[in-house]
Amino acid sequence: MLLIKNGVINTITNGIIKGDILIENGKIKEIGSNITSQEDIKIIDVEGKFVFPGFIDAHTHLGLWEDGMGFEGADGNEETDPITPHLNPIDGINPMDNTFTEAVQGGITSVCTTPGSANVMGGECIAIKTYGKRIDKMVLKNPVASKIAFGENPKSCYGRDEKMPQTRMAIAALLREHLKKAEEYLEEIELYEEHEDHDKPEYDMKMECMIPILKGEIPFKVHAHRADDIFTAIRIAKEFDIKLTLDHCTEGHLIADELAEEGYPVVVGPSLSERSKIELRNLTFDTAGILAKEGLQVSLTTDHPVIPVQYLPICSGIAVKHGMEKEKALEAITINPAKTLGVDDRVGSLEVGKDADIVVWDGCPLEIQSNVLMTIIDGKIVYRR
């Protein structure tokens, strides 16, 4: 057992209290004032320090593009087929990469790692903790979504080789085609289960990975920067009655009223980066605050390694500078990404019963001079400054 005492605890969901957190078997057992200790308990006094839930990045490529490497450590894009929904990052993530250590040192305790955006359908997305040696033991939820991409990335990847897709029309057509095939595959499976005399369809791994999407169990995680690409994603989602999260959402501030009407969760960023391609020409840190004021569930992303993941709190702080409310900026790196990824029953806030993913800071984490003093993941102290 572990007892954190006398902290200024920001629970995110239930306000700020001055008090203690009791941890047992990797979970938060109690939060309150003057929690009594037992003889076999380890006590850590954090008098005057600031205690937060571990931060969460809802869209990274952590472990798929290894630090300081070229092709040897690049395992995020299978650029041989624009439709690869059956790929899963668990088979490509290297948790020994030193960026995991930097994540822990920066107070980032969970991330979603996704395939890249070269393909129209890039594969499944996985939510993981940032500490461990074996990826199988770091999994929060797998899969949490299925990655799809619109715009310049799939166009540039395949168009240069005179292959489909070369246009936005082709991206949408490929996606519709495979969704329709998946619907027919699922219908055949259901007929087989209902009628003994109906033949079972031949196993198709790509189609199998589409079933949770069609059943509404996981969303499409949409790579889309431009407003028209965002609307194309929404159009297709409505056609097939599927869930979405809108990731990057670079021009979201230009269509904030429309997005508020639709209500899909948005994952904004990376905003601390250059306008490296045409579809980023309207990039601004204003976007997150504007969308939050419209009532949308906003998360922030570094898109690691575009921005190193440990700088997620800095991105949140800059969003505040550009008009986002401080409380909304904190929610955007805690409870909102947890909800977006479907793991808010375990992480994203400090509540009894949740995983003991806790970070102690010497100041407000949104201020650049603040430091992480201690990171706890699953009740284990994994970093001390």
Side-chain angles (χ1 to χ4, degrees):
M1 296 180 73
L2 182 65
L3 181 60
I4 300 172
K5 289 195 68 68
N6 303 318
V8 180
I9 302 169
N10 191 325
T11 67
I12 298 298
T13 51
N14 293 305
I16 300 172
I17 64 170
K18 175 70 183 295
D20 314 331
I21 303 177
L22 180 63
I23 299 167
E24 184 177 33
N25 297 324
K27 301 286 185 180
I28 297 174
K29 184 177 181 180
E30 187 178 353
I31 301 175
S33 300
N34 300 315
I35 296 176
T36 56
S37 60
Q38 304 170 13
E39 291 184 2
D40 60 345
I41 199 169
K42 182 175 182 179
I43 300 174
I44 299 174
D45 194 331
V46 295
E47 177 70 43
K49 307 305 180 187
F50 300 89
V51 182
F52 285 83
F55 292 154
I56 305 168
D57 194 323
H59 182 120
T60 77
H61 310 286
L62 189 67
L64 286 179
W65 272 273
E66 296 179 52
D67 193 38
M69 292 190 187
F71 78 93
E72 301 91 343
D75 290 299
N77 278 320
E78 180 61 39
E79 298 181 31
T80 56
D81 180 352
I83 304 294
T84 56
H86 54 316
L87 306 184
N88 193 288
I90 197 170
D91 301 311
I93 295 170
N94 179 12
M96 298 293 191
D97 188 65
N98 67 288
T99 54
F100 279 85
T101 298
E102 292 174 341
V104 168
Q105 292 171 345
I108 316 302
T109 57
S110 300
V111 301
C112 176
T113 290
T114 86
S117 50
N119 294 344
V120 177
M121 300 190 71
E124 296 175 316
C125 309
I126 183 173
I128 59 174
K129 300 292 181 79
T130 54
Y131 180 81
K133 295 182 291 185
R134 183 175 179 177
I135 190 63
D136 308 75
K137 295 181 178 180
M138 299 161 67
V139 174
L140 256 174
K141 183 181 178 183
N142 186 26
V144 293
S146 180
K147 177 71 175 289
I148 61 173
F150 292 83
E152 293 180 27
N153 285 18
K155 281 180 59 176
S156 64
C157 179
Y158 291 95
R160 68 192 176 202
D161 295 327
E162 299 301 316
K163 296 179 180 179
M164 190 176 184
Q166 295 186 10
T167 64
R168 283 178 164 83
M169 293 184 295
I171 291 170
L174 281 171
L175 185 56
R176 283 191 177 95
E177 178 184 23
H178 284 269
L179 280 165
K180 184 60 179 176
K181 288 180 178 179
E183 281 187 335
E184 293 173 352
Y185 182 82
L186 179 56
E187 287 172 5
E188 289 297 310
I189 289 176
E190 290 173 342
L191 285 171
Y192 167 76
E193 292 173 345
E194 293 170 6
H195 306 284
E196 294 181 359
D197 59 343
H198 193 88
D199 291 337
K200 184 177 182 180
E202 183 178 351
Y203 177 81
D204 187 322
M205 190 175 182
K206 287 186 178 182
M207 295 296 107
E208 289 287 332
C209 291
M210 301 289 286
I211 291 174
I213 301 159
L214 294 173
K215 288 185 173 181
E217 295 169 356
I218 61 173
F220 269 145
K221 196 169 186 62
V222 178
H223 166 106
H225 291 282
R226 245 169 54 170
D228 57 336
D229 290 326
I230 294 169
F231 288 139
T232 298
I234 293 171
R235 186 180 313 117
I236 294 173
K238 288 183 174 180
E239 288 173 21
F240 290 89
D241 191 25
I242 54 183
K243 297 178 180 178
L244 297 180
T245 71
L246 300 173
D247 291 40
H248 303 311
C249 209
T250 302
E251 292 189 351
H253 58 286
L254 302 179
I255 52 171
D257 55 339
E258 297 284 350
L259 294 181
E261 183 180 315
E262 299 294 345
Y264 294 103
V266 296
V267 182
V268 177
S271 303
L272 189 62
S273 60
E274 62 175 333
R275 297 179 181 89
S276 57
K277 50 189 176 181
I278 297 297
E279 63 187 9
L280 299 182
R281 64 188 179 276
N282 288 311
L283 177 70
T284 171
F285 259 105
D286 296 345
T287 306
I290 291 171
L291 295 180
K293 287 175 182 176
E294 289 286 346
L296 289 165
Q297 182 176 293
V298 178
S299 303
L300 296 177
T301 176
T302 61
D303 199 17
H304 177 97
V306 178
I307 303 167
V309 70
Q310 66 268 29
Y311 299 133
L312 180 64
I314 292 175
C315 295
S316 189
I318 298 175
V320 172
K321 183 177 180 180
H322 283 254
M324 195 175 194
E325 295 178 8
K326 181 179 176 181
E327 292 76 15
K328 295 297 183 182
L330 286 169
E331 289 175 1
I333 56 177
T334 54
I335 193 61
N336 284 358
K339 289 178 178 178
T340 296
L341 300 173
V343 293
D344 54 306
D345 60 327
R346 291 185 56 185
V347 296
S349 60
L350 298 178
E351 299 180 54
V352 172
K354 286 195 174 185
D355 294 2
D357 293 357
I358 301 167
V359 183
V360 180
W361 293 78
D362 64 3
C364 174
L366 305 189
E367 296 175 358
I368 194 168
Q369 70 269 26
S370 297
N371 299 295
V372 172
L373 301 179
M374 181 185 303
T375 302
I376 298 169
I377 296 180
D378 292 326
K380 179 179 179 181
I381 299 172
V382 298
Y383 170 71
R384 293 189 82 155
R385 182 179 173 86

